[in-house]
Amino acid sequence: MSEQAGERAEPMRIPPVTEKDPEPASSTTAAAAPPATEVRTPSVAEIMAMLPQPSRPHVVIKRDLLPAVSVLSTVALTGLLVGWLWSILAPAQRVILVDGQQLPLLDESYHRFDDLILFVLMGLGMGLVVGGVVWLLRERRGPVIMIAAVLGSALGAWLAMKVGVSWAGSHYALSGTPANRSVFEQAPVLESTWVILAQPLATALAYGTLTAWNGMDDLGRRLG
């Protein structure tokens, strides 16, 4: 007993505690995870293709036929105004009667050109006015009304030429037979029929310019 009591007990060594590395995931867990998908942003062209496309408006013909006839006849009546103004404003040509022949005085023959230019300018001005006024018919905008306005302007220009020359002749009518070597004024005349194209061309130009400036598919008819 004394020997056993005298012996000293050996101390026990406790190993230090170390952190264990995480165990790798098993193959079954890795196989179960879904693969990552890449998100792609659609382009502008694809987005525009997915949007609903608006229907293109059709040209209205039958519904505009009766208003087109009214526009044509009304525009044609403007020829009376142009013809009356031309018969008053067009300069007359002073001539002298020599042995039965009417000879223009010096520089008076230029008035024949003045008569033509004045008629062309008045036709251009009236055509621009007609094109602008017809454009204001918002509910009837379109090719049918434009064609009616152009044809009405052509008819009005022809009417202006006929009545203008006739009224000018009545303004400068001679009361009797002039004596030999007498000077008198000769009524203005239009020596070319091409002048009637000025008004319809100006009407088409005015209406076409306003159409291009508008830029709408239906020219704003639905807003009328």
Side-chain angles (χ1 to χ4, degrees), residues 35-88:
T37 57
E38 182 181 357
V39 179
R40 188 177 65 88
T41 304
S43 62
V44 178
E46 294 175 349
I47 295 177
M48 296 299 296
M50 291 186 294
L51 294 177
Q53 300 297 330
S55 59
R56 180 173 296 180
H58 302 283
V59 178
V60 180
I61 297 179
K62 294 183 179 180
R63 192 172 62 184
D64 290 348
L65 286 178
L66 185 58
V69 174
S70 302
V71 169
L72 191 151
S73 57
T74 303
V75 173
L77 293 178
T78 60
L80 298 176
L81 176 61
V82 175
W84 178 73
L85 290 176
W86 180 84
S87 66
I88 296 176

Side-chain angles (χ1 to χ4, degrees), residues 113-187:
F113 179 75
D114 298 338
D115 299 335
L116 288 173
I117 293 300
L118 180 60
F119 191 89
V120 169
L121 293 178
M122 294 180 66
L124 290 175
M126 182 58 69
L128 294 177
V129 172
V130 168
V133 172
V134 173
W135 174 257
L136 296 179
L137 302 175
R138 181 185 294 271
E139 297 181 356
R140 301 302 178 186
R141 289 176 182 174
V144 178
I145 295 299
M146 177 181 177
I147 294 174
V150 172
L151 293 179
S153 295
L155 181 59
W158 177 83
L159 183 63
M161 182 181 65
K162 293 299 182 180
V163 300
V165 173
S166 178
W167 287 341
S170 62
H171 294 335
Y172 297 95
L174 299 176
S175 57
T177 302
N180 191 25
R181 296 187 179 277
S182 61
V183 179
F184 58 93
E185 292 183 340
Q186 190 178 30

